[in-house]
Amino acid sequence: MTNPPRLPNLDLPAEPPAGKASTGLELKAAQTAQALTAIRAGEVDALFVAGAGSGAEAGWMFTLDGADRAYRLLIEDMAEGALTLAPDGHITYANRRFADLLGRPLNRVIGAPIAGCFAPEAQTALDALLAAGRACKQSAELDLLSDAGERVPVFLSVSPLADGGVPDAAPETLGLVVTDLTGQKRSEAETAARDKLLALLRSQGLTEASLRDSLATQHLLEACVANLNDIVLITEAEPFDEPGPRIVFVNEAFTRRTGYTRAEALGRTPRFLQGAKTDKAELARVGAALKRWEPVRTEIVNYAKDGTEFWIEMLITPVANAAGWFTHWVAIERDVGERKQAEATRRSLENQVREAQKMEAIGALAGGIAHDFNNILGAILGNVALAQFDLTAGHPALARLAQIAVSGARARSLVEQILTFSRREPPTLTAVSLVDSMQEAAAMLRATLPATVKLSVAISAPAPDEPLRVRGDATQLQQVLLNLCTNAWHALADGSGTINVRLASLRVGGAAAFAPPARTHLAEGVYAHLSVSDSGRGMNAATRARIFEPFFTTKPAGQGTGLGLSVVHGIVGSYGGTITVSSRLGAGSRFDIYIPQLEGGAGLAAPETTAPPPAPGRGEQVLYIDDDEVMLLVVEHLLLKLGYSATCLVDPRAALAAVQARPGHFDLVVTDFNMPQMSGLDLARALREIDARLPVVISSGYLPEHLRSEAQDAGVVALMRKEHTLDDLAAVVERALSARHAAHPSAPG
Amino acid sequence: MSTGLFDTPEAPAADAECWTLRLYVAGQSPRSLRAVANLRRICAEDLDARYRLEVIDLYQQPELAQCDQVVALPALIKRLPEPLRSLVGDMSSSERVLVGLDLLRRAPP
């Protein structure tokens, strides 16, 4: 930016003394100084000199050079021609638009006479307009004459500038504004043509109103069709056979959804939208209906230009002309992809709910049966034990009885598995030897798997007799192996192949010689590492990603619950373990499970002792209640053998009466839980009312969580598994009695 | 942007104050247009909506000039808070405007 020209003979401070002005005079001086500084800096556009009067006399404005540039820009850019005219009729100023209307360079317009710009026949009207325009604003329609000899219809407006508040304009200077009327004239011509057409229609018996209505209706329909979200596609009526009817119209929704432009679609047959997944039988049904000229509704797959498939619901209707001939098919199509998706989701959810209900029903059934079996097994095992007591050593029947006891124990373990599977009871986590439980599970598998499946088991304990203990539940751990191996078996092509089971100890971190497979994040520590691999079909990535989802199955409907691997995942997770899977299509699958290993003997459950200590009882009075008379008999014998005095009753109400009749007589009550007259829990509560110091033990085939907490609230001192009665009774009774002695040393007995 | 507007002891109390400003312009002359734009920006950035601004075109309302003794345009007059201050120019320097209207202490030389 160049410096503004300096004003001579003025020596002013660079900045006016703002903030000092206090008197009127000082203020005026300061403002004058400011004004001069601003002028010198080129920041002023105008000076204003105030006058004493009002209105036009209120003051005068003097604009500085370049200040009217904004007005000039407006005029230069406006769509009308603008010019000023000297009194002698010469153009003193014209904008570019006016020059353009004339088709003449601007520099030959300014200075030219105005008369030469208009058509000869317009001259008289022009002269009259200019003469009248000197007095006040005038306007008229005239024809310009362009340099090319063409007439340009314009609207010419003339006004006197000197009276219009432009004080420095010479008197009698005229301002002209020229508006081009060519476009307007053209539309007038069109209107005339349309009027002619209407006259013709009227002669044909059609009214203008009906035509206008029909035009308006057509316009509305076009707008509707264009704005529909549904696809509208119109074809010719025929041919039905190849190549099919030609498309004559598609709307915007069609181009949006398919990606084909209108030009690409018109003239082709709609069949080009169909593809591999389009249901051929459905198309045949539609085709048959069309041949009968019947409207038809269908849902089929179409393909967009980029190859993506989409479901449409389509209604095809024939359209007839006035003579009753079918000329076209109109297809209204709606993208129902989202609905199809929702339907699929709903079906899948319904399946899941059905599966879950089925599992629940099976669980309830299994739980109920297991309960009855427990009672029966209790009687069998109890009587076996009693019979063993009764026989002298070396009796030949002892071996048979031992066989019965082993079989009974196996049956009992089976029942436990069923109960665990039906999830009626929370598993209790104890130190479990993986070596033992995996060997047992492998034995079960060998018996189950067909001969075509080779099961290879390699269990490498870190040291001989090292049981590789983990904190878990033996039945659940076996379930893990069984499920994985069953899955592997089902993955084998034709049901034949190899399943490898490996169990080893793995130390992670520190001076580890082994490392888990990549992408397995294990904290430092020692793990039991179980792997199951197969030579089966393997999985693709999509299947691999979902295998642990509940109810996800690749098996046909009804053949798999989709629960096997999710159960495995849940069990391993609840032990703080990790499970990984690696698989490729055609290359088999491999599952690796890492469960934190218990080191040393810590947490290892004491081995179960089946031999009760010799007669710990000293004649304490034990009251036993059970509705099962066989159990009653067994337990009575057992208690007597252990040195206690036993009172055994079938009916809990009789037990209540007995306690009431002889307060302080009984030292301990052991009761069955599930009895028709009264539950063991209710009995415990009632006994507590009578004698709060009398300890109660409940024996039950189930020990669900709610029973444990309710029993605790009722003051029950111990819970016992009914099927373990023979093994546990001695220890439970002894513990309960000694606790009572400790709490109430004065109690009799 | 930090102007230090309220750092100075002369700055009016932040709550009760409302600036009453009048900008005189000469039609749509370029500096007038610039002055309007600049002043609107300064007010929005530094006066935080606590101002009343009138723009007076002296072409259209010449009688309004008399009470403010305007001589050169564009010109800005601060009527409130007292004392009266005036500034001539296109208001392109925010600092000059703020100093000139007692809104900012003049920077030390």
Side-chain angles (χ1 to χ4, degrees), chain A residues 362-375 377 411-427 473 475-476 479 700-704 721-724:
Chain A
I362 291 172
L365 187 65
I369 293 171
H371 177 71
D372 288 341
F373 266 104
N374 266 339
N375 283 342
L377 285 169
R412 198 169 63 186
S413 136
L414 193 65
V415 168
E416 271 176 28
Q417 281 192 45
I418 293 171
L419 277 171
T420 307
F421 182 70
S422 67
R423 299 188 180 172
R424 303 290 293 248
E425 199 174 326
D473 177 272
T475 312
Q476 285 192 339
Q479 180 108 48
S700 173
Y702 293 126
L703 294 176
R721 296 191 67 121
K722 190 163 183 185
E723 66 272 27
H724 293 176

Side-chain angles (χ1 to χ4, degrees), chain A residues 472-522:
Chain A
D473 177 272
T475 312
Q476 285 192 339
L477 284 165
Q478 292 182 356
Q479 180 108 48
V480 167
L481 188 65
L482 292 177
N483 287 3
L484 286 177
C485 289
T486 311
N487 245 59
W489 169 29
H490 290 148
L492 296 176
D494 307 324
S496 67
T498 309
I499 302 174
N500 286 301
V501 176
R502 299 279 177 274
L503 176 65
S505 183
L506 175 73
R507 182 175 291 279
V508 175
F514 305 98
R519 290 188 293 141
T520 307
H521 302 293
L522 292 177

Side-chain angles (χ1 to χ4, degrees), chain A residues 144-159:
Chain A
L144 281 184
L145 184 66
S146 77
D147 278 14
E150 286 175 0
R151 281 167 173 71
V152 182
V154 296
F155 183 82
L156 177 63
S157 166
V158 181
S159 44

Side-chain angles (χ1 to χ4, degrees), chain A residues 15-16 18-21 27-28 31 34-35 38 42-48 50-53 55 58-59 61 63 66-67 70-71, chain B residues 26-33 58-59 62-63 65-66 68-74 77 84-90 96 100 102 106:
Chain A
E15 286 288 333
K20 292 266 172 62
L27 180 68
K28 199 153 183 109
Q31 282 180 340
Q34 264 188 336
E43 291 187 359
V44 172
D45 270 349
L47 294 175
F48 183 83
M61 183 81 79
T63 51
Y71 291 123
Chain B
Q28 296 185 55
S29 77
R31 288 175 191 83
S32 296
L33 295 176
L58 284 183
Y59 270 125
E63 65 276 8
Q66 291 172 352
D68 279 328
Q69 312 272 340
V70 181
V71 286
L73 302 177
I77 308 291
L84 193 82
R85 293 275 180 254
S86 73
L87 195 75
V88 178
D90 63 3
R96 257 189 68 195
D102 293 342
R106 200 188 303 262

Side-chain angles (χ1 to χ4, degrees), chain B residues 37-57:
Chain B
N38 286 332
L39 192 62
R40 288 228 176 268
R41 175 177 52 76
I42 293 166
C43 287
E45 285 174 358
D46 294 313
L47 298 188
D48 194 23
R50 288 172 297 115
Y51 64 92
R52 188 183 310 123
L53 172 66
E54 290 177 282
V55 178
I56 291 167
D57 180 3

Side-chain angles (χ1 to χ4, degrees), chain A residues 58-279:
Chain A
W60 294 271
M61 183 81 79
F62 298 91
T63 51
L64 303 186
D65 191 31
D68 58 347
R69 201 169 148 264
Y71 291 123
R72 229 188 250 160
L73 278 177
L74 275 177
I75 289 172
E76 291 292 350
D77 284 350
M78 63 193 240
E80 285 79 23
L83 53 158
T84 57
L85 216 54
D88 62 358
H90 282 83
I91 298 170
T92 49
Y93 166 82
N95 67 357
R96 196 163 297 280
R97 174 65 178 148
F98 183 69
D100 289 346
L101 284 174
L102 288 177
R104 193 190 295 181
L106 187 61
N107 57 10
R108 291 208 290 113
V109 176
I110 298 175
I114 185 71
C117 302
F118 283 84
E121 65 273 15
Q123 293 297 327
T124 317
L126 177 68
D127 289 344
L129 201 63
L130 294 178
R134 290 197 170 88
C136 62
K137 188 173 171 179
Q138 299 287 322
S139 55
E141 283 185 29
L142 297 171
D143 278 354
L144 281 184
L145 184 66
S146 77
D147 278 14
E150 286 175 0
R151 281 167 173 71
V152 182
V154 296
F155 183 82
L156 177 63
S157 166
V158 181
S159 44
L161 283 186
D163 288 354
V166 184
D168 48 354
E172 297 188 33
T173 297
L174 291 178
L176 276 64
V177 175
V178 180
T179 308
D180 184 6
L181 295 179
T182 311
Q184 191 184 326
K185 293 284 178 198
R186 192 182 300 136
S187 78
E188 280 171 14
E190 282 168 5
T191 309
R194 191 164 152 269
D195 287 346
K196 219 182 209 171
L197 177 70
L198 285 173
L200 188 69
L201 289 168
R202 264 197 297 278
S203 70
Q204 300 284 314
L206 288 165
T207 67
E208 184 185 342
S210 73
L211 182 71
R212 195 177 293 133
D213 283 352
S214 122
L215 283 174
T217 309
Q218 189 188 337
H219 183 72
L220 278 176
L221 285 176
E222 279 170 6
C224 279
V225 169
N227 289 310
L228 271 181
N229 274 328
D230 288 351
I231 293 172
V232 177
L233 183 148
I234 304 178
T235 69
E236 291 173 347
E238 288 178 289
F240 291 121
D241 301 324
E242 293 302 324
R246 296 189 315 149
I247 297 173
V248 297
F249 174 83
V250 291
N251 69 344
E252 281 72 2
F254 173 91
T255 57
R256 268 200 308 274
R257 185 64 193 87
T258 64
Y260 290 106
T261 65
R262 191 165 283 182
E264 285 170 320
L266 295 186
R268 298 174 78 177
T269 165
R271 292 169 197 180
F272 83 99
L273 297 164
Q274 297 158 5
K277 289 201 183 165
T278 311
D279 186 342

